Amino acid sequence: MKSQQIRVQEIKEEASMESPWQKIGGFFERVCASNSIREREREDQRQTIKGRVVLMKKNVMDLNDTRASLIDSFYELMGKQVSLQLISATSVDPENHFRGRIGRPIYLQRWNCTGSAVTARETEFEVTFDWEEGMDVPGAIRVINHHHSEFYLNSVTLEDVPGHGRIHFVCNSWVYPVRYENERVFFSNKAYLPCHTPEPLRQYREEELMKLRGNGHGERKTWERIYDYDVYNDLGNSDKGPEYRRPVLGGSKEYPYPRRGRTGRGRTKTDPYSEKRLPQLSLDTYVPRDEQFSQVKFSDFLAYAVKSIVQVAIPEIRSLFDKTINEFDSLEDVLHIYEVGTNVPNGGTHDTVSNCISWEFIRELGRSDVGFCKFPIPDVIKENNSAWRTDEEFAREMLAGLNPIIIRRLEEFPPASKLDTDKYGNHTSTITKGHIEKNMNGLTVDQAKENNKLFILDYHDALMPYLSRINSTSTKMYATRTLLFLQEDGTLKPLAIELSLPHPQGESYGVTSQVYTPAEDGVESYIWQLAKAYVAVNDSGYHQLISHWLNTHAVIEPFVIATNRQLSVLHPIYKLLHPHFRDTMIINALARHILINAGGFLEMTVFPGKYALELSSVIYENWNFMQQALPTDLLKRGVAVKDPDYPHGLRLLIEDYPYAVDGLEVWSAIETWVIEYCSFYYPEDDLVRYDTELQSWWMELRNDGHGDKKGEPWWPQMHTRADLIKTCTIIIWVASALHAAVNFGQYPYGGYLPNRPTISRRFMPQPGTQEYEELQRNPDLGFLKTITPQLQTLLGISLIEILSRHATDEIYLGQRDNPEWTSDAEALAAFESFGSRLRDIESIINQRNLDRRWKNRFGPVEMQYTLLYPNTSDFSRQGGITGKGIPNSVSI
């Protein structure tokens, strides 16, 4: 008895020591427990359906929003809760315009008992719905948020629905309070064509699409989910000064361009056609709320940005005390930015500490793959820090590097130009047979052409129209042509490089050109290294602006907008394409805000400078959607020919072409998956032709999303299943594999700027000049003074370090964020087969990379080609710079 009295006293003392927050939490626990008992008593007296609701409360980065949680708790106490109602897919309500019958509301219980964690995380609620006579199968759920703050609704699952079993609702959406949006309707994971939609759900389906389209007026607000189009009128900032004025891209014959997401911000004071810009440090640019980064991705992004600031600042501060400010004095000086820094602990200690920190931002700052103050060593110099200078590596990267989609077979000699001769004069190449035949292993030009041995990397026509304007800035560069010879071992040998400038008397007089050939000794070898550097500058700029930004990021955004505006979440094509649009709108919006805008990072670090996006508009004029298909692209560039005896019906003229070899495997897997999927939902062509949502989607995509190309004859008519399959295959290829091929190798190849310089600051040194004497005396210094200076180098590699990182919540091709994305067994089986094929491709790529016959798969730098390694088998969610993995979407 005495011991019991002592224990009671101890409990009283413990209670008196509780903090106010603990007392409030205890109060909520008692209330919730009491409510839970009453709920169970009521359930015993009626027929019910049990289920689970998974959501995440409002958060800031990884932390719960304490203020919002506190206010929502008081709303709960006042009876303002989150309600859910089932909507029948079979029974209509005549009093509700014959929409699906709506069941009685139930409310999420124990809300105040689930918010004690500091970190934001998913919370699961058990729910019980009344099973009402005549409801039959639920096809949708109505959700009303009576709280003060929004929450992220992940999913709702109903267990043991009478006669139907388990029904799952994939939501993945922010639900805002009723003062912003009266209600939200979420559909079950069953896919329906419009004509097959159960009648009770038809109006709900149509009304949801109307909400997503908006009315095209007004400035968009944070909580809105409206998708709409606009031109690129937000790049310049003429209010800041005339040097920040940029042309509007899109909507004109002079500057055609894909459309972006509309924000509706007001116009600038000095330019009525341009949109006001947000403050530089603001990240509050509008995209529909569900298109924002997840809290994990956002934390990763900020952590990388903080690292980059430190990585740039420390070398720059150090350079202030150097004799040559903003210059690298030697290649060894460049290596110091990778080798000098503060290392973090490695091994078990670091892992233990990291795993105890749930705030993703801090965890990313402490990653063990790189010191906090230094750059990781790029793969291109990891095994050998001088092999990048070899001719073999220079040529190999045209097949297995960062931009392997430009090289083409030489069809005429000398190379000709397609520029208008009336405007630009004669631009035929000045490369002669005498320049190249001495290095062609005894073959003549005609013999080499006939045997498909000559190839060209040609930037002449793309850059020449802008070259005078670009060279009027601090940049000094050429338009280049590079001829290459295919050797018996499958490698390419550079034969000649032509550097061209507009004629000094004017563009109409043609060009002046210099031709350089390989040399191994003396000053000629240094000149040859510089010639290759000018080619690399061309390739780097074109890669970043066209191959990467324009041909993946910009061209895909209209598909994202059109899909959300015209295809219901119930539509099978929406379910097929939606994973390939994840994070594209927000990353593009951030790019317009800080990267490709006037004075942004891209203009600072890539050669076209302020003409960068304008140049990409000129290139877009020749963009062709159908030519984005990999087989079509390979045939167009002449690097493959049709041959039914070869895999995929193509014979590669360069057998050891890693991008094409691996790419065709991935393309084929995507195409097979799309064929199986579309054939299930569209067994007949008429279902495509008379699918109202699909036809509206395709019409809007052509007329609005890519409105400047709407008159092109190459657009598919979308009358047959074959049209649909080809279209969806191209979309998925561009958003996943093509983007992976041109993005995630940026740091592994370009993190060492001497390998891929982005700027050239002076022309080729001529005999008798001070620059020429400096090149003879100190060739490395002359090289470094020609290419990107120190500050731009640091900014450039800090940027591509961010762009090359996989996020810790990455979802790779063949993976889904929710295994219950559809209830259709045939679609799930086809998707499982798709994943299996991709995992087989991973094994094939690994085997190829170990086969030393394929020299272009590793090269002198001993760097395996893995950019098209799917990584479907990886569920580790580790992220980082891996140089491999195909994410589902253009998400960075």
Side-chain angles (χ1 to χ4, degrees):
M1 182 71 179
K2 186 175 181 181
S3 62
Q4 290 179 340
Q5 291 174 344
I6 294 172
R7 179 57 187 151
V8 169
Q9 182 63 32
E10 288 174 347
I11 293 173
K12 289 181 179 179
E13 291 174 356
E14 289 173 2
S16 65
M17 296 172 64
E18 288 181 339
S19 70
W21 282 108
Q22 290 173 318
K23 290 180 179 178
I24 292 173
F27 170 73
F28 285 144
E29 288 286 352
R30 290 190 293 274
V31 171
C32 293
S34 176
N35 289 342
S36 180
I37 293 171
R38 287 197 293 272
E39 281 294 313
R40 285 196 296 269
E41 290 174 349
R42 286 197 290 269
E43 288 169 18
D44 293 338
Q45 302 170 11
R46 65 181 189 270
Q47 188 174 8
T48 59
I49 302 174
K50 294 185 180 296
R52 297 192 320 277
V53 176
V54 180
L55 59 80
M56 185 171 63
K57 299 178 181 181
K58 184 183 178 184
N59 58 79
V60 179
M61 289 172 57
D62 292 311
L63 298 182
N64 273 326
D65 187 329
T66 306
R67 177 178 176 274
S69 296
L70 184 60
I71 295 175
D72 286 345
S73 296
F74 282 109
Y75 271 55
E76 280 279 319
L77 293 176
M78 292 187 296
K80 295 184 177 182
Q81 298 174 286
V82 175
S83 69
L84 295 89
Q85 294 168 276
L86 299 180
I87 299 176
S88 175
T90 56
S91 178
V92 299
D93 182 357
E95 297 181 2
N96 190 23
H97 305 287
F98 292 93
R99 293 184 176 92
R101 181 180 172 186
I102 302 177
R104 286 192 291 269
I106 62 104
Y107 298 90
L108 293 185
Q109 302 297 320
R110 298 174 60 85
W111 181 279
N112 291 331
C113 306
T114 59
S116 58
V118 174
T119 56
R121 66 186 184 198
E122 291 180 348
T123 303
E124 185 175 301
F125 294 86
E126 294 182 358
V127 292
T128 303
F129 292 92
D130 287 341
W131 178 247
E132 302 173 41
E133 185 113 16
M135 280 291 290
D136 199 16
V137 58
I141 286 185
R142 183 189 192 200
V143 181
I144 301 178
N145 180 6
H146 294 283
H147 284 173
H148 171 271
S149 307
E150 68 271 22
F151 61 86
Y152 186 80
L153 182 59
N154 185 300
S155 64
V156 179
T157 306
L158 305 180
E159 305 288 354
D160 298 324
V161 177
H164 298 281
R166 194 168 189 270
I167 299 178
H168 189 71
F169 300 79
V170 178
C171 305
N172 290 338
S173 183
W174 287 94
V175 178
Y176 274 79
V178 290
R179 67 180 184 275
Y180 298 117
E181 193 167 18
N182 289 333
E183 65 181 27
R184 292 292 306 278
V185 173
F186 297 96
F187 299 96
S188 72
N189 59 352
K190 175 70 176 174
Y192 296 102
L193 295 178
C195 61
H196 296 156
T197 306
E199 193 60 36
L201 299 181
R202 193 178 299 276
Q203 290 189 59
Y204 291 108
R205 177 175 184 151
E206 294 170 353
E207 289 167 359
E208 177 69 6
L209 283 175
M210 290 177 64
K211 291 178 181 178
L212 294 174
R213 293 177 196 137
N215 59 16
H217 300 292
E219 183 174 353
R220 299 274 66 86
K221 307 301 181 184
T222 303
W223 58 85
E224 292 181 326
R225 299 183 296 126
I226 294 174
Y227 295 79
D228 205 353
Y229 304 97
D230 208 344
V231 295
Y232 278 66
N233 61 353
D234 59 342
L235 301 176
N237 188 4
S238 58
D239 289 352
K240 191 176 178 180
E243 67 273 22
Y244 291 95
R245 185 185 294 271
R246 298 292 181 270
V248 174
L249 305 184
S252 68
K253 188 175 181 179
E254 184 179 9
Y255 297 116
Y257 221 61
R259 301 300 189 263
R260 64 172 176 94
R262 179 181 177 274
T263 67
R265 293 198 298 265
R267 302 303 193 218
T268 61
K269 297 177 182 178
T270 54
D271 183 358
Y273 300 104
S274 294
E275 189 174 88
K276 287 181 180 177
R277 292 189 53 78
L278 294 172
Q280 195 67 33
L281 295 180
S282 172
L283 297 179
D284 194 25
T285 183
Y286 173 80
V287 296
R289 185 64 176 89
D290 294 337
E291 300 294 339
Q292 293 278 358
F293 285 148
S294 69
Q295 96 279 358
V296 173
K297 180 76 169 277
F298 185 60
S299 297
D300 286 357
F301 196 78
L302 287 184
Y304 303 155
V306 170
K307 278 185 175 181
S308 295
I309 291 172
V310 175
Q311 289 166 336
V312 171
I314 289 179
E316 277 300 294
I317 293 172
R318 189 181 295 119
S319 76
L320 295 176
F321 304 95
D322 197 354
K323 60 183 179 180
T324 52
I325 296 176
N326 199 32
E327 292 286 356
F328 291 112
D329 297 325
S330 65
L331 292 175
E332 288 73 23
D333 200 14
V334 178
L335 291 175
H336 286 167
I337 66 174
Y338 310 104
E339 297 173 349
V340 176
T342 304
N343 285 313
V344 295
N346 290 316
T349 303
H350 175 272
D351 293 340
T352 300
V353 173
S354 178
N355 290 332
C356 292
I357 301 174
S358 54
W359 192 10
E360 194 66 35
F361 175 73
I362 298 297
R363 295 184 68 180
E364 280 303 302
L365 286 179
R367 283 182 65 97
S368 61
D369 59 351
V370 60
F372 180 67
C373 300
K374 67 177 181 178
F375 293 102
I377 299 176
D379 288 351
V380 76
I381 58 169
K382 192 168 287 185
E383 297 298 324
N384 186 325
N385 62 21
S386 63
W388 63 273
R389 307 186 80 157
T390 63
D391 287 358
E392 183 180 341
E393 180 61 23
F394 170 72
R396 184 191 77 92
E397 291 185 19
M398 301 177 195
L399 304 173
L402 186 52
N403 196 26
I405 59 177
I406 306 300
I407 188 172
R408 60 181 174 85
R409 181 166 55 88
L410 185 68
E411 297 180 350
E412 57 182 332
F413 187 88
S417 170
K418 295 182 180 179
L419 293 175
D420 183 352
T421 55
D422 291 337
K423 183 176 182 180
Y424 294 104
N426 181 18
H427 280 251
T428 301
S429 174
T430 59
I431 299 175
T432 67
K433 293 181 179 180
H435 285 125
I436 63 175
E437 286 187 339
K438 57 188 176 183
N439 286 320
M440 288 170 51
N441 299 350
L443 293 181
T444 66
V445 167
D446 293 336
Q447 289 171 332
K449 277 180 54 188
E450 184 178 348
N451 288 284
N452 300 317
K453 295 287 189 181
L454 288 178
F455 295 84
I456 184 171
L457 189 73
D458 190 352
Y459 290 113
H460 184 96
D461 286 4
L463 301 181
M464 185 56 70
Y466 272 80
L467 207 53
S468 293
R469 279 171 279 183
I470 292 171
N471 285 341
S472 68
T473 68
S474 59
T475 294
K476 300 293 179 279
M477 59 170 285
Y478 301 91
T480 67
R481 291 185 177 112
T482 305
L483 264 57
L484 304 110
F485 178 74
L486 178 61
Q487 302 187 100
E488 292 302 318
D489 64 356
T491 62
L492 291 174
K493 179 200 295 187
L495 297 175
I497 293 174
E498 181 181 54
L499 307 181
S500 300
L501 291 171
H503 198 282
Q505 291 182 307
E507 288 183 338
S508 62
Y509 287 86
V511 293
T512 59
S513 300
Q514 298 170 292
V515 177
Y516 298 91
T517 56
E520 297 181 358
D521 301 307
V523 69
E524 290 80 10
S525 67
Y526 311 148
I527 293 290
W528 175 243
Q529 288 292 333
L530 281 180
K532 291 192 293 184
Y534 289 119
V535 174
V537 170
N538 277 195
D539 193 62
S540 295
Y542 193 93
H543 158 263
Q544 200 64 272
L545 289 171
I546 311 303
S547 303
H548 182 206
W549 165 256
L550 175 64
N551 287 344
T552 62
H553 284 260
V555 302
I556 282 294
E557 185 162 358
F559 289 92
V560 182
I561 300 169
T563 300
N564 282 278
R565 285 170 56 87
Q566 298 298 340
L567 298 181
S568 165
V569 294
L570 288 167
H571 201 289
I573 300 305
Y574 177 94
K575 292 181 181 294
L576 173 68
L577 296 179
H578 183 255
H580 304 289
F581 299 150
R582 179 178 187 245
D583 292 340
T584 299
M585 288 191 73
I586 181 60
I587 198 64
N588 284 3
L590 291 174
R592 294 193 305 273
H593 183 55
I594 60 176
L595 296 183
I596 62 174
N597 60 301
F601 278 90
L602 196 68
E603 289 194 357
M604 293 172 61
T605 58
V606 177
F607 74 78
K610 66 179 182 179
Y611 299 107
L613 269 290
E614 186 179 333
L615 174 62
S616 73
S617 169
V618 173
I619 303 298
Y620 174 69
E621 188 171 357
N622 296 316
W623 179 80
N624 181 324
F625 174 72
M626 301 305 291
Q627 291 177 355
Q628 306 312 301
L630 178 61
T632 307
D633 171 61
L634 296 174
L635 291 169
K636 175 194 172 188
R637 291 191 282 121
V639 294
V641 293
K642 291 183 179 180
D643 191 328
D645 294 332
Y646 278 74
H648 320 296
L650 291 180
R651 177 168 59 88
L652 294 173
L653 299 183
I654 304 175
E655 187 179 6
D656 187 10
Y657 188 171
Y659 164 76
V661 172
D662 295 355
L664 285 171
E665 299 278 7
V666 176
W667 168 271
S668 179
I670 294 171
E671 185 177 48
T672 301
W673 150 239
V674 174
I675 289 172
E676 293 176 353
Y677 184 89
C678 290
S679 296
F680 172 65
Y681 292 104
Y682 295 92
E684 301 174 356
D685 287 342
D686 281 351
L687 287 173
V688 174
R689 185 188 296 268
Y690 296 112
D691 184 334
T692 54
E693 288 184 5
L694 188 70
Q695 294 303 322
S696 296
W697 169 72
W698 192 238
M699 180 181 297
E700 182 174 285
L701 190 282
R702 290 178 298 165
N703 292 340
D704 297 320
H706 282 280
D708 297 330
K709 310 289 288 183
K710 62 184 176 183
E712 298 290 353
W714 39 255
W715 288 109
Q717 293 299 305
M718 203 56 69
H719 288 168
T720 66
R721 186 175 65 194
D723 287 343
L724 178 61
I725 289 170
K726 190 61 175 282
T727 297
C728 291
T729 303
I730 293 174
I731 293 170
I732 295 172
W733 164 261
V734 170
S736 60
L738 178 60
H739 179 258
V742 299
N743 181 75
F744 291 101
Q746 290 192 79
Y747 194 83
Y749 283 101
Y752 183 66
L753 253 290
N755 183 52
R756 288 189 62 81
T758 58
I759 294 173
S760 52
R761 295 179 282 162
R762 61 187 188 185
F763 293 124
M764 182 69 81
Q766 299 301 314
T769 64
Q770 182 178 348
E771 290 82 4
Y772 191 87
E773 294 176 1
E774 181 182 59
L775 189 66
Q776 287 181 303
R777 185 173 61 253
N778 190 337
D780 285 351
L781 183 60
F783 181 88
L784 291 170
K785 283 188 175 182
T786 300
I787 64 169
T788 318
Q790 179 173 300
L791 176 59
Q792 282 93 329
T793 293
L794 295 172
L795 290 173
I797 62 177
S798 65
L799 172 62
I800 62 175
E801 183 192 6
I802 293 174
L803 298 182
S804 300
R805 284 187 179 273
H806 288 287
T808 52
D809 65 348
E810 199 79 273
I811 301 174
Y812 295 104
L813 193 64
Q815 299 177 353
R816 288 271 184 159
D817 61 348
N818 190 320
E820 296 183 86
W821 59 274
T822 182
S823 63
D824 296 322
E826 293 84 352
L828 288 171
F831 186 70
E832 177 58 34
S833 297
F834 177 46
S836 179
R837 281 192 291 270
L838 291 171
R839 289 188 288 273
D840 289 342
I841 291 171
E842 292 177 4
S843 299
I844 292 170
I845 290 174
N846 284 333
Q847 292 169 8
R848 287 174 180 155
N849 284 338
L850 294 175
D851 191 335
R852 301 298 289 188
R853 291 178 301 164
W854 309 119
K855 294 185 177 181
N856 293 328
R857 299 198 71 91
F858 48 88
V861 294
E862 292 294 332
M863 177 181 174
Q864 292 185 355
Y865 186 76
T866 55
L867 292 177
L868 286 174
Y869 181 91
N871 221 29
T872 308
S873 58
D874 182 8
F875 291 90
S876 66
R877 301 292 185 256
Q878 290 297 309
I881 301 176
T882 64
K884 67 178 181 179
I886 303 176
N888 270 325
S889 62
V890 180
S891 57
I892 189 64

